[in-house]
Amino acid sequence: MELELIKEIKSEEFVKKVRDVAKNKKKWHFHFLTPNCIFNYKNKFAIVFENEETKETCVCFYDKKPKELNIFENLFYGRSEGFDQY
């Protein structure tokens, strides 16, 4: 199996992408990495998004624990986002 590169994107684009796949009921999931996580290559918080249908993988890095994490968790479980900054 060949490893795909992970594209780094900005938070606003990241949220838009996750909202789009959730709205269209595509298969997806995400990972949350702390700065000390062995799988994290930066000393920042990170959210990794995986589109299971297209195999697209993106990451966004944050200096503090991201509030976007709540958006992704709520969208993943089909709950109301409770966030409208973007």
Side-chain angles (χ1 to χ4, degrees), residues 12-70:
E12 292 85 358
E13 180 184 353
F14 202 45
V15 171
K16 183 178 185 253
K17 188 176 292 290
V18 173
R19 283 177 173 157
D20 185 57
V21 296
K23 176 183 167 189
N24 290 301
K25 305 209 183 295
K26 303 294 182 186
K27 292 181 181 181
W28 65 284
H29 67 275
F30 68 96
H31 306 273
F32 173 63
L33 307 176
T34 64
N36 297 326
C37 177
I38 193 168
F39 298 108
N40 193 347
Y41 58 89
K42 286 192 177 183
N43 191 26
K44 295 183 171 205
F45 291 95
I47 301 176
V48 179
F49 161 77
E50 295 184 52
N51 183 326
E52 296 175 25
E53 295 187 17
T54 65
K55 306 301 181 201
E56 175 187 24
T57 306
C58 301
V59 63
C60 190
F61 293 97
Y62 303 86
D63 293 326
K64 298 185 286 186
K65 185 177 177 184
K67 55 188 166 277
E68 288 82 356
L69 187 59
N70 293 332

